Amino acid sequence: PTGTATKIPFNTVRYRPTDGSFLEGEFTAGRSGYYDVDVYYTDTITTPNTRVWLGIAGGSDASDNDSLTINADYFQLQASRKIYCPKGGNIHAYLRHAYGFNITFNDRGADKHGDGFISISWAGSKKSATNI
């Protein structure tokens, strides 16, 4: 829906997390601490002149990390950030847009379907996560 942050339901797990679990695009932390999160998403949609944001949410924090105005049908977005997540908390990537009407991303019908990845790895303490 327009203006709503919608979780990206990544569903192919290439590497099983050792400190948590992953289901339908959402990571559940197995221990408290900082996580290094990288996300990439690409799609083809037929709604030009639309602002799209890619963000990362986790713990009690959410942040738009990349955005662009789609002037053609193909776009790419990527984001990286360190995020604190308590044990049992969740981390996921999301998309939101400002088209004014609902848009279907990852549509296997008229549009080509989206692709991308989310990578979440344990960084430990704040000092380790920020390298200071």
Coordinates of all heavy atoms in Angstrom, one line a residue, residues 6-89:
T6 N 6.4 -2.1 3.9 CA 6.0 -3.5 3.7 C 7.2 -4.4 3.7 O 8.1 -4.2 2.9 CB 5.2 -3.7 2.4 OG1 4.1 -2.8 2.4 CG2 4.8 -5.1 2.1
K7 N 7.2 -5.4 4.6 CA 8.4 -6.3 4.7 C 8.6 -7.0 3.4 O 7.7 -7.5 2.7 CB 8.1 -7.3 5.8 CG 9.2 -8.4 6.0 CD 8.9 -9.3 7.1 CE 7.7 -10.2 6.8 NZ 7.5 -11.2 7.8
I8 N 9.9 -7.1 3.0 CA 10.2 -7.9 1.8 C 10.3 -9.4 2.2 O 11.2 -9.7 3.0 CB 11.6 -7.5 1.2 CG1 11.5 -6.0 0.8 CG2 11.9 -8.3 -0.1 CD1 12.8 -5.4 0.4
P9 N 9.5 -10.3 1.6 CA 9.5 -11.7 2.1 C 10.5 -12.5 1.4 O 10.2 -13.5 0.7 CB 8.1 -12.1 1.7 CG 7.8 -11.3 0.5 CD 8.5 -10.0 0.7
F10 N 11.8 -12.2 1.6 CA 12.9 -13.1 1.0 C 12.6 -14.5 1.5 O 12.3 -14.7 2.6 CB 14.2 -12.6 1.5 CG 14.7 -11.3 0.9 CD1 14.8 -10.2 1.8 CD2 15.0 -11.1 -0.4 CE1 15.2 -9.0 1.3 CE2 15.4 -9.9 -0.9 CZ 15.5 -8.8 0.0
N11 N 12.7 -15.5 0.6 CA 12.3 -16.8 1.0 C 13.4 -17.9 0.6 O 13.1 -19.1 0.9 CB 11.0 -17.2 0.3 CG 11.0 -17.1 -1.2 OD1 12.0 -17.1 -1.8 ND2 9.8 -16.9 -1.7
T12 N 14.5 -17.6 0.0 CA 15.5 -18.6 -0.3 C 16.7 -18.4 0.7 O 17.3 -17.3 0.6 CB 16.0 -18.5 -1.7 OG1 14.9 -18.7 -2.6 CG2 17.1 -19.6 -2.0
V13 N 16.9 -19.3 1.6 CA 18.0 -19.2 2.5 C 19.2 -19.9 2.0 O 19.3 -21.1 1.7 CB 17.6 -19.8 3.9 CG1 18.8 -19.8 4.9 CG2 16.4 -19.2 4.4
R14 N 20.3 -19.1 1.7 CA 21.6 -19.6 1.2 C 22.5 -20.1 2.3 O 23.2 -21.1 2.2 CB 22.3 -18.6 0.4 CG 21.5 -18.1 -0.8 CD 21.9 -18.6 -2.1 NE 21.1 -18.0 -3.1 CZ 20.6 -18.6 -4.1 NH1 20.8 -19.9 -4.3 NH2 20.0 -17.9 -5.1
Y15 N 22.5 -19.4 3.4 CA 23.3 -19.7 4.6 C 22.4 -19.7 5.8 O 21.8 -18.6 6.1 CB 24.5 -18.7 4.8 CG 25.4 -18.7 3.5 CD1 25.2 -17.7 2.6 CD2 26.3 -19.6 3.4 CE1 26.0 -17.6 1.5 CE2 27.2 -19.6 2.2 CZ 27.0 -18.6 1.3 OH 27.8 -18.6 0.2
R16 N 22.3 -20.8 6.5 CA 21.5 -20.8 7.7 C 22.2 -20.0 8.8 O 23.4 -20.1 9.1 CB 21.4 -22.3 8.2 CG 20.7 -23.1 7.2 CD 19.2 -23.1 7.5 NE 18.5 -23.8 6.4 CZ 17.3 -23.5 6.1 NH1 16.6 -22.6 6.7 NH2 16.7 -24.1 5.1
P17 N 21.4 -19.2 9.5 CA 22.0 -18.4 10.6 C 22.4 -19.3 11.8 O 21.6 -20.2 12.1 CB 20.9 -17.4 11.0 CG 19.6 -17.9 10.4 CD 20.0 -18.8 9.3
T18 N 23.5 -19.0 12.4 CA 24.0 -19.8 13.5 C 23.4 -19.2 14.9 O 23.4 -19.9 15.9 CB 25.5 -19.9 13.6 OG1 26.0 -18.6 13.7 CG2 26.0 -20.6 12.4
D19 N 23.1 -18.0 14.9 CA 22.6 -17.3 16.1 C 21.2 -16.8 15.9 O 21.0 -15.6 16.1 CB 23.6 -16.2 16.5 CG 24.9 -16.8 16.9 OD1 24.9 -17.7 17.8 OD2 25.9 -16.3 16.4
G20 N 20.3 -17.6 15.5 CA 18.9 -17.1 15.3 C 18.2 -18.0 14.2 O 18.7 -19.0 13.8
S21 N 17.1 -17.5 13.7 CA 16.4 -18.2 12.7 C 15.9 -17.2 11.6 O 15.8 -16.0 11.9 CB 15.2 -18.9 13.3 OG 14.3 -18.0 13.9
F22 N 15.5 -17.7 10.5 CA 15.1 -16.8 9.4 C 13.9 -17.5 8.7 O 13.9 -18.6 8.4 CB 16.2 -16.7 8.3 CG 15.9 -15.7 7.3 CD1 16.1 -14.3 7.5 CD2 15.5 -16.1 6.0 CE1 15.9 -13.4 6.5 CE2 15.2 -15.2 5.0 CZ 15.4 -13.8 5.3
L23 N 12.8 -16.7 8.6 CA 11.6 -17.2 8.0 C 10.9 -16.0 7.3 O 10.6 -15.0 7.9 CB 10.6 -17.7 9.1 CG 9.3 -18.3 8.6 CD1 9.5 -19.5 7.7 CD2 8.5 -18.7 9.8
E24 N 10.6 -16.2 6.0 CA 9.9 -15.3 5.1 C 10.4 -13.9 5.2 O 9.6 -12.9 5.4 CB 8.4 -15.4 5.4 CG 7.8 -16.7 5.1 CD 6.3 -16.8 5.5 OE1 5.7 -15.9 6.0 OE2 5.7 -17.9 5.2
G25 N 11.7 -13.7 5.2 CA 12.3 -12.4 5.2 C 12.5 -11.8 6.5 O 13.0 -10.6 6.6
E26 N 12.2 -12.5 7.6 CA 12.5 -11.9 8.9 C 13.4 -12.8 9.7 O 13.2 -14.0 9.8 CB 11.1 -11.8 9.6 CG 11.2 -11.0 10.9 CD 9.9 -10.5 11.3 OE1 9.1 -11.3 11.8 OE2 9.6 -9.3 11.2
F27 N 14.5 -12.1 10.2 CA 15.4 -12.8 11.1 C 15.1 -12.6 12.5 O 14.8 -11.5 12.9 CB 16.8 -12.2 10.8 CG 17.9 -12.7 11.7 CD1 18.5 -13.9 11.6 CD2 18.4 -11.8 12.8 CE1 19.5 -14.3 12.5 CE2 19.4 -12.2 13.6 CZ 19.9 -13.5 13.5
T28 N 15.1 -13.7 13.3 CA 14.9 -13.6 14.7 C 16.2 -13.8 15.4 O 16.8 -14.9 15.2 CB 13.8 -14.6 15.2 OG1 12.6 -14.4 14.5 CG2 13.6 -14.5 16.7
A29 N 16.7 -12.9 16.2 CA 18.0 -12.9 16.8 C 18.0 -14.0 17.9 O 17.1 -14.1 18.8 CB 18.3 -11.5 17.4
G30 N 19.1 -14.7 17.9 CA 19.3 -15.8 18.9 C 20.1 -15.2 20.1 O 20.1 -15.9 21.2
R31 N 20.7 -14.0 19.9 CA 21.4 -13.4 21.1 C 21.3 -11.9 20.9 O 21.2 -11.4 19.7 CB 22.8 -13.9 21.2 CG 23.7 -13.7 20.1 CD 25.1 -14.2 20.4 NE 25.8 -14.4 19.2 CZ 27.1 -14.7 19.1 NH1 27.8 -14.8 20.3 NH2 27.8 -14.8 18.0
S32 N 21.4 -11.1 21.9 CA 21.4 -9.7 21.9 C 22.7 -9.2 21.4 O 23.8 -9.7 21.7 CB 21.1 -9.1 23.3 OG 19.8 -9.5 23.7
G33 N 22.7 -8.1 20.6 CA 23.9 -7.4 20.2 C 23.7 -6.7 18.9 O 22.5 -6.5 18.4
Y34 N 24.8 -6.3 18.3 CA 24.7 -5.6 17.0 C 24.9 -6.5 15.9 O 25.6 -7.5 15.9 CB 25.8 -4.5 17.0 CG 25.5 -3.3 17.8 CD1 25.8 -3.3 19.1 CD2 24.9 -2.2 17.2 CE1 25.4 -2.2 19.9 CE2 24.5 -1.1 18.0 CZ 24.8 -1.1 19.3 OH 24.5 0.0 20.1
Y35 N 24.1 -6.3 14.8 CA 24.1 -7.1 13.6 C 24.5 -6.2 12.4 O 24.0 -5.0 12.3 CB 22.8 -7.8 13.4 CG 22.5 -8.9 14.4 CD1 22.0 -8.6 15.6 CD2 22.8 -10.2 14.1 CE1 21.8 -9.6 16.6 CE2 22.6 -11.2 15.0 CZ 22.1 -10.9 16.2 OH 21.9 -11.9 17.1
D36 N 25.2 -6.7 11.5 CA 25.6 -6.0 10.3 C 24.6 -6.5 9.2 O 24.5 -7.7 8.9 CB 27.0 -6.4 9.9 CG 27.5 -5.6 8.7 OD1 26.9 -4.6 8.3 OD2 28.6 -5.9 8.2
V37 N 23.8 -5.5 8.6 CA 22.7 -5.9 7.7 C 23.0 -5.2 6.4 O 23.2 -4.0 6.3 CB 21.4 -5.4 8.3 CG1 20.2 -5.9 7.3 CG2 21.1 -6.0 9.7
D38 N 23.0 -6.0 5.3 CA 23.1 -5.6 3.9 C 21.9 -6.1 3.1 O 21.6 -7.2 3.2 CB 24.4 -6.1 3.3 CG 25.6 -5.6 4.0 OD1 25.9 -4.4 4.1 OD2 26.3 -6.5 4.6
V39 N 21.3 -5.2 2.3 CA 20.2 -5.5 1.5 C 20.3 -5.0 0.1 O 20.8 -3.9 -0.1 CB 18.9 -4.9 2.1 CG1 17.6 -5.3 1.3 CG2 18.7 -5.3 3.6
Y40 N 19.9 -5.8 -0.9 CA 19.8 -5.4 -2.3 C 18.5 -5.8 -2.8 O 18.0 -6.9 -2.5 CB 21.0 -6.0 -3.0 CG 20.9 -5.8 -4.5 CD1 21.3 -4.6 -5.1 CD2 20.4 -6.8 -5.4 CE1 21.2 -4.4 -6.5 CE2 20.3 -6.6 -6.7 CZ 20.7 -5.4 -7.3 OH 20.6 -5.2 -8.6
Y41 N 17.8 -4.9 -3.6 CA 16.5 -5.3 -4.2 C 16.5 -4.7 -5.6 O 16.8 -3.5 -5.7 CB 15.4 -4.8 -3.3 CG 14.0 -5.3 -3.9 CD1 13.6 -6.6 -3.6 CD2 13.2 -4.4 -4.6 CE1 12.4 -7.0 -4.2 CE2 12.0 -4.8 -5.1 CZ 11.6 -6.1 -4.9 OH 10.4 -6.5 -5.4
T42 N 16.0 -5.4 -6.5 CA 15.8 -4.9 -7.9 C 14.5 -5.4 -8.4 O 14.0 -6.5 -8.0 CB 17.0 -5.4 -8.8 OG1 16.7 -4.8 -10.1 CG2 17.1 -6.9 -8.9
D43 N 13.8 -4.7 -9.2 CA 12.5 -5.0 -9.7 C 12.2 -4.3 -11.0 O 12.9 -3.3 -11.3 CB 11.4 -4.8 -8.6 CG 10.2 -5.6 -8.8 OD1 10.0 -6.3 -9.8 OD2 9.4 -5.6 -7.9
T44 N 11.2 -4.7 -11.7 CA 10.7 -4.0 -12.8 C 9.2 -3.8 -12.6 O 8.4 -4.7 -12.4 CB 10.8 -4.9 -14.1 OG1 12.2 -5.2 -14.2 CG2 10.4 -4.2 -15.3
I45 N 8.8 -2.5 -12.5 CA 7.4 -2.2 -12.3 C 7.0 -1.2 -13.4 O 7.9 -0.5 -14.0 CB 7.1 -1.7 -10.9 CG1 7.8 -0.4 -10.6 CG2 7.4 -2.7 -9.9 CD1 7.4 0.2 -9.3
T46 N 5.7 -1.1 -13.7 CA 5.3 -0.2 -14.7 C 4.6 1.0 -14.2 O 3.6 1.5 -14.8 CB 4.3 -1.0 -15.6 OG1 3.2 -1.5 -14.8 CG2 5.0 -2.1 -16.4
T47 N 5.1 1.5 -13.1 CA 4.5 2.8 -12.5 C 5.6 3.8 -12.5 O 6.3 4.0 -11.5 CB 4.1 2.5 -11.1 OG1 4.3 1.2 -10.7 CG2 2.6 2.8 -10.9
P48 N 5.8 4.6 -13.5 CA 6.9 5.6 -13.6 C 6.6 6.8 -12.7 O 5.5 7.0 -12.2 CB 6.9 6.0 -15.1 CG 5.5 5.8 -15.5 CD 5.0 4.6 -14.7
N49 N 7.7 7.6 -12.5 CA 7.6 8.8 -11.6 C 7.1 8.5 -10.2 O 6.3 9.2 -9.7 CB 6.8 9.9 -12.3 CG 7.4 10.3 -13.6 OD1 8.6 10.4 -13.7 ND2 6.6 10.4 -14.6
T50 N 7.6 7.4 -9.6 CA 7.2 7.0 -8.3 C 8.4 6.9 -7.4 O 9.4 6.3 -7.8 CB 6.5 5.6 -8.4 OG1 5.4 5.6 -9.2 CG2 6.1 5.1 -7.0
R51 N 8.3 7.5 -6.2 CA 9.4 7.5 -5.3 C 9.3 6.2 -4.5 O 8.2 5.8 -4.0 CB 9.3 8.7 -4.3 CG 10.5 8.8 -3.5 CD 11.6 9.5 -4.3 NE 12.8 9.8 -3.5 CZ 13.9 10.1 -4.1 NH1 14.0 10.2 -5.4 NH2 15.0 10.4 -3.3
V52 N 10.4 5.4 -4.4 CA 10.5 4.1 -3.7 C 11.6 4.2 -2.7 O 12.7 4.6 -3.0 CB 10.7 3.0 -4.7 CG1 10.8 1.6 -3.9 CG2 9.5 2.9 -5.7
W53 N 11.4 3.7 -1.5 CA 12.4 3.7 -0.4 C 12.6 2.2 0.0 O 11.7 1.4 0.1 CB 11.9 4.4 0.8 CG 11.8 5.9 0.7 CD1 12.8 6.8 1.0 CD2 10.7 6.6 0.2 NE1 12.3 8.1 0.8 CE2 11.1 8.0 0.3 CE3 9.4 6.3 -0.3 CZ2 10.2 9.0 -0.1 CZ3 8.6 7.3 -0.7 CH2 9.0 8.7 -0.6
L54 N 13.9 1.9 0.2 CA 14.3 0.6 0.8 C 14.8 0.9 2.2 O 15.6 1.8 2.4 CB 15.4 0.0 0.0 CG 16.0 -1.3 0.5 CD1 15.0 -2.4 0.5 CD2 17.3 -1.7 -0.3
G55 N 14.3 0.2 3.2 CA 14.8 0.4 4.6 C 15.1 -0.9 5.3 O 14.8 -2.0 4.8
I56 N 15.7 -0.7 6.5 CA 16.0 -1.8 7.3 C 15.4 -1.5 8.7 O 15.5 -0.4 9.2 CB 17.5 -2.0 7.5 CG1 18.1 -2.3 6.1 CG2 17.9 -3.1 8.5 CD1 19.7 -2.3 6.1
A57 N 14.7 -2.5 9.3 CA 14.1 -2.4 10.6 C 14.5 -3.5 11.5 O 14.7 -4.6 11.1 CB 12.6 -2.4 10.4
G58 N 14.8 -3.2 12.8 CA 15.2 -4.2 13.7 C 15.1 -3.6 15.1 O 15.3 -2.4 15.3
G59 N 14.9 -4.5 16.1 CA 14.7 -4.1 17.5 C 13.6 -3.1 17.5 O 12.5 -3.4 17.0
S60 N 13.8 -1.9 18.0 CA 12.8 -0.8 18.0 C 13.1 0.3 17.0 O 12.6 1.4 17.1 CB 12.6 -0.3 19.4 OG 13.8 0.3 19.8
D61 N 13.9 0.0 16.0 CA 14.5 1.0 15.1 C 14.1 0.7 13.7 O 14.2 -0.5 13.3 CB 16.0 1.1 15.3 CG 16.6 2.2 14.5 OD1 15.9 3.2 14.2 OD2 17.8 2.1 14.1
A62 N 13.8 1.7 12.9 CA 13.5 1.5 11.4 C 14.1 2.7 10.8 O 14.0 3.8 11.3 CB 12.1 1.4 11.1
S63 N 14.7 2.5 9.6 CA 15.4 3.6 8.9 C 15.3 3.4 7.4 O 15.7 2.4 6.9 CB 16.8 3.8 9.4 OG 17.5 4.8 8.7
D64 N 14.8 4.4 6.7 CA 14.9 4.4 5.2 C 16.4 4.6 4.9 O 17.1 5.5 5.4 CB 14.1 5.5 4.6 CG 12.6 5.4 4.8 OD1 12.2 4.2 5.1 OD2 11.9 6.4 4.6
N65 N 16.9 3.7 4.0 CA 18.4 3.8 3.7 C 18.7 4.1 2.3 O 19.8 4.6 2.0 CB 19.0 2.4 4.1 CG 18.9 2.1 5.5 OD1 18.0 1.4 6.0 ND2 19.8 2.7 6.3
D66 N 17.8 3.9 1.4 CA 18.1 4.3 0.0 C 16.7 4.6 -0.7 O 15.7 4.0 -0.3 CB 18.7 3.1 -0.8 CG 19.3 3.5 -2.1 OD1 19.4 4.7 -2.4 OD2 19.7 2.6 -2.9
S67 N 16.7 5.5 -1.6 CA 15.5 5.8 -2.3 C 15.8 6.3 -3.7 O 16.9 6.7 -4.0 CB 14.7 6.8 -1.6 OG 15.3 8.1 -1.6
L68 N 14.8 6.3 -4.6 CA 15.0 6.8 -5.9 C 13.6 7.0 -6.5 O 12.6 6.5 -6.0 CB 15.8 6.0 -6.8 CG 15.4 4.5 -7.1 CD1 14.2 4.4 -8.0 CD2 16.6 3.8 -7.7
T69 N 13.5 7.9 -7.5 CA 12.3 8.1 -8.3 C 12.4 7.2 -9.5 O 13.4 7.4 -10.3 CB 12.1 9.5 -8.6 OG1 12.0 10.3 -7.4 CG2 10.8 9.7 -9.5
I70 N 11.5 6.3 -9.7 CA 11.5 5.4 -10.9 C 11.0 6.2 -12.1 O 9.9 6.7 -12.1 CB 10.6 4.2 -10.6 CG1 11.1 3.4 -9.4 CG2 10.6 3.3 -11.9 CD1 10.1 2.4 -8.9
N71 N 11.9 6.4 -13.1 CA 11.6 7.0 -14.3 C 11.5 6.1 -15.5 O 11.2 6.4 -16.6 CB 12.6 8.2 -14.6 CG 12.4 9.3 -13.6 OD1 11.3 9.7 -13.3 ND2 13.5 9.8 -13.1
A72 N 11.8 4.8 -15.2 CA 11.7 3.8 -16.2 C 11.1 2.6 -15.4 O 10.7 2.7 -14.3 CB 13.1 3.4 -16.8
D73 N 11.1 1.4 -16.1 CA 10.4 0.3 -15.4 C 11.4 -0.5 -14.5 O 11.0 -1.3 -13.7 CB 9.8 -0.6 -16.4 CG 10.7 -1.2 -17.4 OD1 11.9 -0.8 -17.5 OD2 10.3 -2.2 -18.1
Y74 N 12.7 -0.3 -14.7 CA 13.7 -1.1 -13.9 C 14.4 -0.3 -12.9 O 14.8 0.9 -13.1 CB 14.7 -1.6 -14.9 CG 15.9 -2.4 -14.3 CD1 15.7 -3.7 -13.8 CD2 17.1 -1.8 -14.2 CE1 16.8 -4.4 -13.3 CE2 18.2 -2.5 -13.6 CZ 18.0 -3.8 -13.2 OH 19.0 -4.5 -12.6
F75 N 14.5 -0.8 -11.6 CA 15.2 -0.1 -10.6 C 16.0 -1.0 -9.7 O 15.7 -2.2 -9.6 CB 14.2 0.8 -9.8 CG 13.3 0.0 -8.9 CD1 13.7 -0.3 -7.6 CD2 12.1 -0.5 -9.3 CE1 12.9 -1.0 -6.7 CE2 11.3 -1.2 -8.5 CZ 11.7 -1.5 -7.2
Q76 N 17.0 -0.4 -9.0 CA 17.8 -1.1 -8.1 C 18.0 -0.3 -6.8 O 18.2 0.9 -6.9 CB 19.2 -1.4 -8.6 CG 19.3 -2.2 -9.9 CD 20.7 -2.4 -10.4 OE1 21.5 -3.1 -9.8 NE2 21.0 -1.7 -11.5
L77 N 17.9 -0.9 -5.7 CA 18.1 -0.2 -4.4 C 19.0 -1.1 -3.5 O 19.0 -2.3 -3.6 CB 16.8 0.0 -3.7 CG 15.8 1.0 -4.3 CD1 14.4 0.8 -3.6 CD2 16.3 2.4 -4.2
Q78 N 19.9 -0.4 -2.7 CA 20.7 -1.2 -1.8 C 20.9 -0.4 -0.5 O 20.8 0.8 -0.5 CB 22.0 -1.6 -2.4 CG 22.9 -0.4 -2.9 CD 24.1 -0.9 -3.6 OE1 24.2 -2.1 -3.9 NE2 25.0 0.0 -3.9
A79 N 21.1 -1.1 0.6 CA 21.2 -0.5 1.9 C 22.1 -1.3 2.8 O 22.2 -2.5 2.7 CB 19.9 -0.3 2.6
S80 N 22.8 -0.6 3.7 CA 23.7 -1.3 4.7 C 23.6 -0.5 6.0 O 23.6 0.7 6.0 CB 25.1 -1.4 4.3 OG 25.3 -2.2 3.1
R81 N 23.6 -1.2 7.1 CA 23.6 -0.5 8.4 C 23.9 -1.5 9.5 O 23.6 -2.7 9.4 CB 22.4 0.3 8.7 CG 21.1 -0.5 8.9 CD 19.9 0.4 9.1 NE 20.0 1.1 10.4 CZ 19.0 1.4 11.1 NH1 17.8 1.1 10.8 NH2 19.2 2.0 12.3
K82 N 24.4 -1.0 10.6 CA 24.5 -1.8 11.8 C 23.3 -1.5 12.6 O 22.8 -0.4 12.7 CB 25.8 -1.3 12.6 CG 27.0 -1.3 11.8 CD 27.6 -2.6 11.5 CE 29.0 -2.6 11.0 NZ 29.1 -2.3 9.6
I83 N 22.7 -2.6 13.3 CA 21.5 -2.4 14.0 C 21.6 -3.2 15.3 O 22.0 -4.4 15.3 CB 20.3 -2.7 13.2 CG1 19.0 -2.2 13.8 CG2 20.2 -4.2 12.8 CD1 17.8 -2.1 12.9
Y84 N 21.1 -2.7 16.4 CA 21.1 -3.4 17.6 C 19.7 -4.2 17.7 O 18.7 -3.6 17.4 CB 21.1 -2.5 18.9 CG 21.1 -3.3 20.2 CD1 22.2 -3.9 20.7 CD2 19.8 -3.4 20.8 CE1 22.1 -4.7 21.8 CE2 19.8 -4.2 22.0 CZ 20.9 -4.8 22.5 OH 20.8 -5.6 23.6
C85 N 19.8 -5.4 18.1 CA 18.6 -6.2 18.2 C 18.7 -7.1 19.4 O 19.7 -7.8 19.6 CB 18.5 -7.1 16.9 SG 16.9 -7.9 16.8
P86 N 17.7 -7.1 20.3 CA 17.8 -7.9 21.5 C 17.5 -9.4 21.1 O 16.8 -9.6 20.1 CB 16.6 -7.3 22.4 CG 15.7 -6.8 21.4 CD 16.5 -6.2 20.2
K87 N 17.8 -10.3 22.0 CA 17.5 -11.7 21.8 C 16.0 -11.9 21.6 O 15.2 -11.3 22.4 CB 18.0 -12.5 23.0 CG 17.7 -14.0 22.8 CD 18.3 -14.8 24.0 CE 18.0 -16.3 23.8 NZ 18.6 -17.1 24.9
G88 N 15.6 -12.6 20.6 CA 14.2 -12.7 20.3 C 13.6 -11.6 19.5 O 12.5 -11.8 19.0
G89 N 14.3 -10.5 19.2 CA 13.9 -9.4 18.4 C 14.0 -9.8 16.9 O 14.6 -10.8 16.6

